[in-house]
Amino acid sequence: MAVDYVNNRSNLLPGYQLDLYWGDTKCDPGHGLKLLFEALTKLPHKTLIFGASCSQVTEYMAKVSQQYNLLQISYISESPVLSNREIFHNFFRTYPSSSSLDPVIIQLLNRFGWKKIALIYQLQSGFSVRMSKLVERLRSHGISVSTRMSVRFKEDLVTAINLIKESQTRIIFAELFSDKTREVICQAYHLNMTTSKYVWILSGWHNPNWWIKNTTINLSESYCSDSVLSEALDGHFSFNAASSPSITDKTVSGQSSADWLKEFHQYQQKYNTSLFQGAEEFAPFSYDAIIAVALMLNRSINDLAKKNKLLENVTYHDKEALEIMKFHMERVKFNGITGPVAFSKSGDRNAIAVIKRLIDGKDVSIGYYSSEQREMKWNYSIPINWANPGNKTPLDGPKIELVPETVPLFLQIFLCSLSAFGILLTLSFITLNIYYKNEKVIKISSPNVNNVIGFSGIACFVSVILFSIDSHEHRFSEKLAIVHCWSQLWLFCLGFTTAYAALIAKTWRIYKIFNKTKVKYQVIKDKQLYLIIFCMVAFEIFTLFLWTVIDPIKIKEANGTIQLYTLWIGYDDQLFTTMPSTKSNYIDRKKVALAVSSARGFEKDTDLSDNEDKLMHLQYRKTTILKEIQKLQTELETKKGQLEYLKSAKREESNAW
Ligand SMILES: NCCCC(=O)O
């Protein structure tokens, strides 16, 4: 159609006819190179190489064509590798580099507030390099890439999808050729990864209805028919360079994009050949590429003439002719079917990208992005239906909410009131104890030691109040929280030990009195009781000191529930059954029981945090290993990309062709 247009125009390449020698590269470098050699070795001499479609073929062909000092122009190859002028000196394209469309993904993620994405792509240099650049770009925009998987064989694909599922990322960008994309979607479907919780973003350059192939996909354990794929793909997003960004603007041929499309359909019917089927996405770019070639040749004729050269006589390896053509190609500028056509220094095209969504089997344009103006225009009149109750935008992963695990308020109030009551009661006992210290019953019970027990009990009550105060990071600084934790422990342990030591001392004295073997009345003074108390408290301080130094408290976030054991009250009668003083009216059994039970509860609490520790550690190890795998994969892909560059450069140097 484009060749006909050029050949029918009297003012474009007057006296010349454009001839196109073509063949199907089958998206395979081997086929592509064979066709290229056949074309180059047959007469007439070829003036320019047009194509290929798949970047992996184009890359090889462009390396060959430049050995012949020929210009090459592609109409759909999107690999960012082709933008490297140091490797591809004479290459142009009317389709933008895929990397120039990366902002589209960022705009889409930003629109829906997604901050995490998983990437999956087919293993080949163009896609690998594109993904490396995309990862950098996403990260610079605060979007994390949870997983980056490359696939080549069916086995890789199954593992890759499983790993993406494990990464718990619900937004997935996949760039693969259509056959592989079908397989990826099939596997995802069987893993429930195409439900409304997941969002798939795919390349938009596939043929319309690319998933319909009338064949069943057979993965290891998953089968998918076309109708299953249609169901799985409904609602996915895709984007590509817009083939007809404006349907009203007049183009260089005087047609609007709409007129052009009409004529294209007439061509399709006229030739009735399968070769035109589904070519709507590529055809406008191909058309504009031919127009660009015609304009470039038209302008080159005069400059060639100045060098005494005729276009038809230009032979291979003519560097001078090549420079003239390259000069004019770099300056081509016209309004094409695909919008304004001009080439950057790297031979690339700035284009307008279209974002589409598959709604009820039809691609609907929901926005346009201009890479030149870096501007996104959303078509908000298209409703975004997420197919979930309440039409909620899917999340990029499971929602993680940090819930501080604290003692519930009612329990806090209850505990504090109970402790305050205990403190008041103890204070009143201490007062009575001091006031009536000379009364006989009080006197024989060692009022000073009673006071020690009273104050120790108060320390335990205060520690309960401290336990119930929530010191998580939003309230206390880390240092203060640590001091808070230690003070609870020190207060409780010292209070308990002191009270217990005093009781033991008193019990021992009673035991001594009641079990006297000598006839003489035995006097045991308070000083001896203080010594027992001192020894036990000193041992406790020493133990606490060792604990504080050897295993200091660390603040960390943990999953799970805090269970409060310290309230359970029970008796530990063991001590009393072995001592005759159990029956003594002067021993406050309640207090002892509370203290012993609290200590037990504390042990249980410590066990619980040990388990949490292990769980946290395992979770941490899992995350670290996953991150390491991702890092290694990224490095591997980058290295593969570099290796391919180096291989191509080496081949070029050695002039193997
Ligand atoms: N024709 C497919 C476009 C993708 C590529 O550049 O290979």
Side-chain angles (χ1 to χ4, degrees), residues 27 52-58 74-80 82 93 95 98 124 126-127 175 177 203 205-206 282:
C27 205
S53 166
C54 295
S55 296
Q56 55 186 346
V57 183
T58 312
S74 170
Y75 48 89
I76 190 74
S77 296
E78 59 157 17
S79 163
L82 290 162
R93 54 181 158 183
Y95 197 83
S98 57
Q124 60 147 293
F127 296 149
E175 189 171 51
F177 286 108
S203 311
W205 42 255
H206 301 302
F282 304 169

Side-chain angles (χ1 to χ4, degrees), residues 299-578:
R299 286 169 197 168
S300 302
I301 292 170
N302 287 342
D303 285 357
L304 286 170
K306 281 180 202 159
K307 305 277 177 194
N308 295 322
K309 288 182 181 172
L310 291 170
L311 192 53
E312 61 271 31
N313 293 340
V314 171
T315 54
Y316 301 139
H317 309 293
D318 187 337
K319 209 158 186 210
E320 202 173 43
L322 169 75
E323 288 309 324
I324 289 171
M325 290 188 203
K326 193 172 167 185
F327 175 86
H328 286 294
M329 190 65 117
E330 280 166 354
R331 280 154 189 81
V332 156
K333 236 179 193 166
F334 66 96
N335 205 16
I337 305 296
T338 58
V341 179
F343 302 105
S344 69
K345 278 202 174 114
S346 57
D348 279 336
R349 163 95 189 272
N350 274 330
I352 291 170
V354 57
I355 308 184
K356 303 168 284 185
R357 186 153 193 243
L358 192 73
I359 304 172
D360 297 328
K362 278 201 185 110
D363 270 329
V364 180
S365 304
I366 59 161
Y368 288 90
Y369 177 80
S370 161
S371 53
E372 202 166 6
Q373 287 152 13
R374 297 178 185 199
E375 194 186 24
M376 183 82 216
K377 278 190 186 145
W378 292 108
N379 182 358
Y380 287 105
S381 65
I382 307 289
I384 303 290
N385 186 359
W386 296 114
N388 63 31
N391 199 26
K392 284 186 197 136
T393 304
L395 299 171
D396 52 15
K399 205 174 179 181
I400 296 170
E401 256 181 61
L402 287 179
V403 182
E405 288 187 333
T406 58
V407 182
L409 189 64
F410 78 93
L411 210 53
Q412 248 180 51
I413 295 170
F414 179 69
L415 279 173
C416 289
S417 312
L418 217 60
S419 300
F421 176 72
I423 291 170
L424 286 177
L425 202 65
T426 315
L427 280 175
S428 64
F429 288 153
I430 292 171
T431 315
L432 285 176
N433 194 54
I434 294 169
Y435 194 77
Y436 293 109
K437 66 178 180 198
N438 292 324
E439 292 288 325
K440 196 184 166 202
V441 277
I442 303 290
K443 207 173 183 175
I444 59 164
S445 75
S446 303
N448 289 338
V449 180
N450 289 346
N451 288 343
V452 169
I453 296 172
F455 284 113
S456 307
I458 289 175
C460 289
F461 284 128
V462 172
S463 83
V464 173
I465 295 174
L466 286 179
F467 264 117
S468 67
I469 294 174
D470 167 25
S471 65
H472 72 81
E473 57 170 314
H474 303 301
R475 294 208 185 154
F476 284 17
S477 68
E478 193 174 316
K479 263 188 189 161
L480 198 59
I482 289 174
V483 172
H484 174 241
C485 281
W486 276 127
S487 54
Q488 293 164 29
L489 288 173
W490 277 73
L491 261 181
F492 179 79
C493 293
L494 283 179
F496 170 76
T497 307
T498 316
Y500 213 80
L503 278 170
I504 286 174
K506 278 176 63 156
T507 313
W508 172 74
R509 184 165 68 176
I510 296 163
Y511 171 76
K512 277 289 192 195
I513 293 166
F514 281 87
N515 289 279
K516 61 178 186 288
T517 46
K518 295 168 192 165
V519 180
K520 200 183 157 206
Y521 184 76
Q522 194 174 2
V523 179
I524 295 173
K525 292 191 173 166
D526 275 4
K527 269 187 195 164
Q528 285 169 277
L529 302 188
Y530 292 148
L531 188 67
I532 293 173
I533 298 170
F534 174 79
C535 288
M536 289 182 78
V537 172
F539 181 73
E540 180 70 14
I541 290 174
F542 176 69
T543 318
L544 282 171
F545 178 75
L546 281 184
W547 181 4
T548 313
V549 173
I550 294 170
D551 186 20
I553 286 176
K554 291 171 202 100
I555 304 288
K556 66 187 177 193
E557 270 170 19
N559 298 326
T561 49
I562 292 174
Q563 293 177 22
L564 197 71
Y565 291 94
T566 47
L567 263 184
W568 181 73
I569 297 174
Y571 283 93
D572 192 332
D573 285 336
Q574 233 182 348
L575 177 69
F576 302 101
T577 48
T578 53

